[in-house]
Amino acid sequence: MMSTIDLTLKIWRQKNSDALGDFETYILRDISTDMSFLEMIDVLNEQLTREGKEPVAFDHDCREGICGACGAVVDGVAHGPDLETTLCQLHMRKFKSGDTIVIEPFRSIAFPIKKDLLVDRSALDRIIQAGGFVSVNTGGTVDGNSIPVSTETAELAMDAASCIGCGACVASCPNGAAMLFTGAKIAQLSLLPQGHPERKERARSMVTQMDKEGFGYCSNEKECELACPKGISIRNIARMNREFLKSFLLGE
Amino acid sequence: MWFLSFIKTSIGKKLVMATSGLLLLSFLAIHAFGNAAIYMGSKYFQIYADFLHGFPVLVLIFGFGLLLIFLAHVGVGLLLFFEKRKTSSRYDVETRVVENTFASRTMPYTGAWIFVFLIVHVFAFNFGKPEGVKVSMLVQQYFSGFFYSLFYIISFIALAIHLNHGFWSMLQTFGLNHPRYNKLISTLTVAVPLIFLVIFGGIPIYFMTGSAAGY
Amino acid sequence: MELNSRIPSGPLAEKWDSHRFQSKLVNPANRRKFRVIVVGTGLAGASAAATLAELGYKVDAFCLHDSPRRAHSIAAQGGINAAKNYQNDGDSVFRLFYDTIKGGDFRAREANVYRLAQVSTEIIDQCVAQGVPFAREYGGTLANRSFGGAQVSRTFYARGQTGQQLLLGAYSALSRQINSGGVTMYNRREMMDVVVVDGKARGVVVRNMISGAIESYSADAVLLCTGGYGNAYFLSTNAMASNVTAAWRACRRGAAFANPSFVQIHPTCIPVHGDYQSKLTLMSESLRNDGRVWVPKNKDDTRPPAQIPEEDRDYYLESKYPSFGNLVPRDVASRNAKEQCDQGKGVGSTGLAVYLDFGDAIKRDGEDVILRKYGNLFQMYEKITDSDPMVEPMMIYPAVHYTMGGLWVDYNLMTTIPGLFALGECNFSDHGANRLGASALMQGLADGYFVISTSIGHYFGSERINPVTNADAAFKEVENEVNERMQKLLQNSSGGPSGKVTVDDVHKELGRLLWDNCGMARNRQDLELALEELPKIKDKFWNSVYVPGAADDINQSIEKAGRVADFIEFGEFMIRDALAREESCGCHLREESQTEENEALRDDDKYSHVSVWEYKGDDQPPEMHKEHLVFENVTPSQRSYK
Ligand SMILES: Cc1cc2nc3c(=O)[nH]c(=O)nc-3n(C[C@H](O)[C@H](O)[C@H](O)COP(=O)(O)OP(=O)(O)OC[C@H]3O[C@@H](n4cnc5c(N)ncnc54)[C@H](O)[C@@H]3O)c2cc1C
Ligand code: HEM
Ligand code: SF4
Ligand code: FES
């Protein structure tokens, strides 16, 4: 069953944030189609190491599609051609022998490139720090069952909460917007009753932080929704817009 | 001031876009309704025009309001357009997963076209109007010109394209996105621009094709 | 080395209460004068950092990812246990305690486990309040499921992403503290060593993974929340960066290591498919509820599964364990799968897999029912293997999953170095020789949210802690050692790569050695052999490993190299521990200690203790100490699944 393919890779190599980057071309032979995309890069990196060259730097950790560490733009598509799939879960059987694959880092003004495919996404952390939480201290909380939450609400909140913070939405957005990421968190916490007391403040401060980080605005291109490995819907952006409007019209 | 901090944010700007868009849309709707009188003949259209001009102050306020809304829409639109230019073409290979519609891609351009059109239009029917010619007659005069009519038709096509993205985009910006209504919204996104196209675009055709013989 | 477990006196149920009462407190106004370092931001670390900052301590938190949200805890799927008894099915704190102690094959401390069961209920309340979207019943109450063979439904879950949601909850609490200045977060910092001053842990030396700079940070206490060391085996279900470095470096500085050979091997993972394989993927245990495990009866039967008739199939779990069948515990299922494959009956291209067949379940319940239950898992399986379990039986094989062993800690979670605490998977405390499903998340959060605050208060309240700064000689000395070590890792690189090996080459070799000899089933001979082989691997590493790049740059090769070097050193602890424990218990079978039916045989007379290992120097074997386990509230019983 095992079959192998030969590939040409054009990978973005950049020494550090200040250096100018460029594409390097590599040839890989006998790549098993059962490999994941990252395993294919592992093979390349072993090959480079044996040749005395520096391997390609890239972020990754769980390799199960849940930590959100991995990600690159493959042939122009964030996380590659498979829908609702992170780069680590993309498999080489999606490619044909003889293919040339162009691999670039996630690019955005808010995501400085640190090296090769490795970028700094801490801007997303700062958006969460601005208000993506419920202000409860440890201890002294009420019993878990004291506030009922309908299954429907819990499911919608869970849909939004599945965001893995990978930044593919930003990478794929023609405007480099982080609306899907921010919207998902605002939506989760505005759906659940636990998030209600702070919802106005939250919408305003998270959006303000998002702008401060240099993310673009949204022109409703829907690109993010399709790049998102977790299938997060732009309905969450609509919800954020609503929360934001309310926070200005009705907030103190 | 809260409005200032509001307008400074990305979503604030988007909401200005959407609100001004909605107001322009409502104006268009009224305008279209009035203009539909053309199809009933010159007499009725003139009655409508005279009626309007019976309230000069109102028309003035209305006109200024419209100008303001318009400027807001164009201003913020331009701002967003330039911001967008900063971020696009980042990748060596550009692939769009959703083939983004022609409409969304061309928003600033269709918008600009509409802008030019409106200047021409306003000059033609208000400031540049020849003395003593009745509006109803003026319409007939202008639209007997082929190029002038063509310009109008193209402009309304541009408007339709603009709204083809603008309509649903506006609702999304307002936060209206719900599986129950999304079908309706996507129908309206096609229907609303079409209605405008038929009513406005129909006028020059009405005159050009000679269907207006009894006007 | 003195091992004082500091278990409070009094009846089991009152120990935690009386302990909290007897512990010293720090006046709220004084707390901001104390600085605590938290290394790791998984469930244990993030919850601890947030909680301590809420109390007013100054916290410096470190993680090796680009964001604290990416810790390995994120990958946990199944759920988290809590003795809420919401289902009214007879659960209680005592039952959760009992199940956990028994599941751990009576190799854990009663007092710790009881406390864990007690605080489990508060964890759920805490997480709900943070906005964790747990699954709900139609009436709006929290839903539960039964997990890992438990007879009560006490597992709370958020789809198959419980770990993710709990971690994001803790991360949000941490983010709030970062925002308010209580926590200073240092991302992309790998802890390289602990700094001990006057016998107390006073700081850490870390490597900035972006600039390569070696930095040191001082504090009044250090918390290690750095997770498990399953990656010693190269292939495991752990995330790629999971490592033993932090714990091992602490161990070298005097923190004793408990039960290093207690490693859990999970039976349902997707098999290895080639040597390029980088890690293994866990498939939920729930699959065994409906799937039937089998192999061909005859060796080297290469027919595709559909062409193997019933009479040529061996449903070995069902025939060996008629009452439990396919639902035998993890270790039994794993061991038997390996046994079948060792006999040459394994399937798949590598012969290292067994079938998990849903054919009968589909016939019985219909495609719809099975798809509804397992659709997601099937999809994930198909994505990876390109084979549809609805059509063809799944192939599974055991994989290293969790490490029960860890830094030895007392009831306060303090290691044998005063001021150095270990939380979460990084310590050894609660799971004995085997961990129950859905209990690791519970333990990580119990340690971080509810236990550590008392311990820290008591430590600061009762110890005299002299001021130090990171400019002190003690810090500079460790910094120098770390710098030297980085240079040593690069020592072979000047002459180019020819004739040398890569870090992965050596890591794979180490993994193979441990898997073959210190895995599910062990025996003296193999372990002794492994002990002889290990130094060769170590020599190979230091003499011929080629590490590209520089130390003062982003260099993922040097990161890997440092971790592998530590795995190799630590491997000796694992093997020695396995060698010393001449009984079968929990997760592993000691071949010399079996019943007549070839089942695991525990030996309570000789081995009812925690094996605690003390590092004695690079050229000396470690010394073993014993913490004897006392059971006052439960009677150890032999497990039997026949
Ligand atoms: C696939 C899988 C599924 C699982 N499912 C379940 C389940 O359903 N239920 C359950 O209860 N348990 C489950 N577990 C086990 C559970 O997830 C872990 O035991 C638990 O999450 C460990 O949490 P932790 O906080 O101790 O460590 P981790 O989450 O591993 O965090 C370690 C932290 O330490 C940091 N770190 C590590 N080394 C260093 C260093 N040298 N320097 C600086 N920082 C460092 C890392 O950056 C990270 O932040 C599962 C495990 C796996 C692998
Ligand atoms: C009668 C005339 C017009 C109407 C009815 C109209 C309507 C709309 C509507 C409804 C939207 C959607 C707003 C949203 O996404 O929330 C929109 C967007 C837009 N309009 Fe107009 N518009 C008109 C004229 C113009 C003009 C003259 C310009 C000028 C240059 C313009 C430029 C834009 C741009 C660039 C956008 C997209 C904003 C974005 O990227 O999201 N429009 N318009
Ligand atoms: S919304 Fe989707 S694409 Fe964006 S960060 Fe979250 S998971 Fe990634
Ligand atoms: S490596 Fe974790 S999502 Fe890809």
Side-chain angles (χ1 to χ4, degrees), chain A residues 38 58-71 79 85-89 164 166 229-230, chain C residues 70 74 239-240 279:
Chain A
L38 297 189
F58 65 103
D59 265 321
H60 63 103
D61 198 26
C62 72
R63 300 210 171 183
E64 286 186 13
I66 192 75
C67 74
C70 68
H79 285 307
T85 304
T86 53
L87 196 62
C88 57
Q89 290 293 84
I164 57 174
C166 62
K230 296 293 139 185
Chain C
R70 309 214 197 277
I74 202 119
M240 302 298 287
K279 75 159 292 204

Side-chain angles (χ1 to χ4, degrees), chain A residues 217 219, chain B residues 14 17-18 24 70 73-74 107-108 111-112 162 166 169-170 173:
Chain A
Y217 71 101
S219 55
Chain B
K14 280 293 297 178
M17 248 358 236
L24 290 174
F70 208 73
H73 192 80
V74 174
M107 285 306 268
H162 194 78
S169 175
M170 168 186 83
T173 304

Side-chain angles (χ1 to χ4, degrees), chain C residues 219-297:
Chain C
D220 303 300
V222 177
L223 272 47
L224 296 187
C225 314
T226 49
Y229 52 85
N231 276 349
Y233 291 83
F234 186 70
L235 287 181
S236 81
T237 62
N238 287 10
M240 302 298 287
S242 298
N243 66 84
V244 76
T245 294
W248 173 243
R249 293 282 137 193
C251 183
R252 290 175 60 104
R253 298 266 168 214
F257 210 104
N259 299 331
S261 75
F262 283 181
V263 176
Q264 184 174 72
I265 292 171
H266 198 290
T268 45
C269 300
I270 300 179
V272 179
H273 38 82
D275 18 294
Y276 50 80
Q277 182 115 12
S278 57
K279 75 159 292 204
L280 295 168
T281 304
L282 176 78
M283 297 302 295
S284 167
E285 206 161 15
S286 63
L287 291 168
R288 284 196 284 142
N289 290 340
D290 283 297
R292 297 181 71 194
V293 177
W294 65 275
V295 291
K297 270 211 176 101

Side-chain angles (χ1 to χ4, degrees), chain A residues 61 64, chain C residues 38-46 62-65 67-68 70-81 147 155 162-163 167 189-192 206 209 225-228 236-239 241-247 266 279-282 330 400-403 423-427 431 435-445 563:
Chain A
D61 198 26
E64 286 186 13
Chain C
V38 179
V39 187
T41 55
L43 285 179
F62 298 82
C63 77
L64 47 76
H65 298 96
S67 158
R70 309 214 197 277
H72 168 58
S73 296
I74 202 119
Q77 306 164 348
I80 177 167
N81 288 333
F147 193 72
T155 304
T162 317
L167 181 62
R189 299 296 202 295
E190 178 154 16
M191 183 190 128
M192 307 305 287
V206 303
M209 296 159 83
C225 314
T226 49
S236 81
T237 62
N238 287 10
S242 298
N243 66 84
V244 76
T245 294
H266 198 290
K279 75 159 292 204
L280 295 168
T281 304
L282 176 78
R330 289 180 180 177
V400 171
H401 179 55
Y402 181 87
T403 52
L423 287 71
E425 193 173 339
C426 171
N427 72 28
H431 306 295
R435 173 179 70 79
L436 286 187
S439 285
L441 302 181
M442 169 172 75
Q443 182 228 334
L445 291 181
R563 290 172 204 153

Side-chain angles (χ1 to χ4, degrees), chain B residues 132-197:
Chain B
V133 184
K134 278 190 169 178
V135 174
S136 55
M137 292 301 118
L138 201 61
V139 174
Q140 197 170 19
Q141 246 177 48
Y142 281 136
F143 290 127
S144 341
F146 174 76
F147 286 106
Y148 197 76
S149 295
L150 192 68
F151 175 63
Y152 261 64
I153 292 168
I154 291 175
S155 300
F156 289 120
I157 291 175
L159 177 74
I161 295 171
H162 194 78
L163 288 181
N164 187 249
H165 177 71
F167 188 78
W168 91 266
S169 175
M170 168 186 83
L171 295 181
Q172 164 80 7
T173 304
F174 282 133
L176 250 122
N177 179 335
H178 190 289
R180 202 176 301 145
Y181 307 111
N182 282 356
K183 246 208 126 87
L184 178 70
I185 291 176
S186 61
T187 313
L188 286 180
T189 303
V190 179
V192 169
L194 270 183
I195 291 170
F196 284 125
L197 182 60

